[in-house]
Amino acid sequence: MSKQSSSNSNSPSFHGSNIFQSQNWEETVKQVGYRFNRQYQGQDLALPPEVQAMPIFHEWKTGILAGRLASPFWEMAQPQKNQTCLDIGCGVSFLIYPWTEWQAFFYGQEVSTVARDTLNARSPQLNSKLFKGVELRPAHQLNYSPAQFDLAIATGFSCYFPREYWSTVMAEVKRVLKPNGFFVFDILNPETPLAEDWAVLETYLGAEVFLEPISEWEKTIKATGAKIVARQAGELFQLYKVRF
């Protein structure tokens, strides 16, 4: 996922300190999409020297950071054979995770055109039966039938949006999940040692980050009618498994 236009300011500001109106969602979706398009295309970015000097930048540049921060959703809810699974903000998930071993039907949704095009071009070569395609659409717009999915996954992007946006996303996920289905997603934990440096880096990469307390996130989750079944802490993100 990425951003439509990167910030020209040398002093990043975080959305968490601003009033964020719902009409800004579409612009933020474009910005996040653009940010990830550039990453998937390997485009070099002219970042300030002080940012390039940060240890976290070097880990990002070499690809080490991605491995450290990826949320292992399958540890909470491994897709099962013949289950229908929706991966929201899927990136290149079908190409890097063992979906063919899980034998689960994969439906993807993305805001990065590069990720969408890459998956739709290459995934059918791996397994055209299991791969059901990737739609270019934001997380709050799920164009699927009610009770269609056994499992929904959404990792790595909730931090780019306010909690009110996530309430809308969860309402949509609830609609498309089967009654006993699970939703697995992650949220940014601002108390982790990496949080502030990562937020600075992401802002310069083109996608501003919300730094909001875990306690407030959990209030938002519960207000949607979701029951938290499990939590799992990571180096930056906390993974949740919920049922409606």
Side-chain angles (χ1 to χ4, degrees):
M1 310 178 78
S2 353
K3 238 183 176 180
Q4 181 71 5
S5 59
S6 60
S7 172
N8 292 322
S9 170
N10 288 326
S11 300
S13 61
F14 300 106
H15 277 140
S17 62
N18 299 327
I19 297 174
F20 191 89
Q21 303 295 331
S22 61
Q23 58 262 36
N24 292 341
W25 293 355
E26 293 300 332
E27 179 59 27
T28 302
V29 166
K30 293 177 182 178
Q31 292 171 338
V32 174
Y34 183 67
R35 174 254 182 272
F36 281 94
N37 278 343
R38 291 190 301 177
Q39 179 171 323
Y40 290 133
Q41 291 172 328
Q43 295 183 15
D44 289 328
L45 302 175
L47 301 184
E50 60 269 24
V51 176
Q52 296 189 45
M54 296 169 66
I56 199 168
F57 171 79
H58 294 285
E59 290 201 19
W60 174 81
K61 187 73 173 178
T62 58
I64 296 174
L65 188 63
R68 288 179 61 188
L69 302 186
S71 293
F73 62 85
W74 57 90
E75 292 181 2
M76 281 198 162
Q78 180 173 306
Q80 301 296 310
K81 184 176 181 180
N82 294 329
Q83 281 191 331
T84 53
C85 303
L86 174 62
D87 194 340
I88 307 167
C90 61
V92 291
S93 174
F94 196 81
L95 300 178
I96 60 176
Y97 298 127
W99 285 94
T100 55
E101 294 179 16
W102 295 331
Q103 291 290 296
F105 296 105
F106 177 95
Y107 293 75
Q109 187 155 311
E110 249 299 332
V111 297
S112 163
T113 56
V114 176
R116 185 273 311 267
D117 293 346
T118 299
L119 281 190
N120 284 338
R122 295 174 55 188
S123 297
Q125 300 172 30
L126 294 179
N127 193 307
S128 59
K129 178 183 176 181
L130 297 177
F131 180 73
K132 298 299 183 180
V134 176
E135 298 289 336
L136 188 68
R137 195 174 293 113
H140 67 284
Q141 297 175 359
L142 304 183
N143 189 26
Y144 306 100
S145 301
Q148 182 172 344
F149 297 101
D150 298 288
L151 172 67
I153 302 157
T155 60
F157 70 89
S158 64
C159 56
Y160 301 122
F161 296 89
R163 287 181 289 109
E164 65 173 338
Y165 178 82
W166 203 245
S167 296
T168 302
V169 172
M170 293 190 72
E172 274 292 272
V173 170
K174 180 180 180 180
R175 182 183 63 81
V176 302
L177 271 184
K178 294 178 181 179
N180 292 321
F182 290 108
F183 182 30
V184 178
F185 59 93
D186 61 12
I187 61 176
L188 173 64
N189 183 352
E191 299 301 320
T192 61
L194 286 177
E196 290 193 9
D197 283 353
W198 185 80
V200 170
L201 175 62
E202 282 299 301
T203 298
Y204 279 107
L205 292 175
E208 295 179 43
V209 168
F210 285 83
L211 294 172
E212 300 193 69
I214 289 284
S215 59
E216 295 302 311
W217 269 106
E218 293 202 354
K219 289 178 184 177
T220 298
I221 293 168
K222 293 174 182 177
T224 67
K227 179 182 179 181
I228 298 173
V229 177
R231 301 174 182 83
Q232 181 172 309
E235 287 194 69
L236 182 62
F237 296 100
Q238 183 151 303
L239 196 62
Y240 286 82
K241 178 181 180 181
V242 306
R243 171 179 277 163
F244 294 98

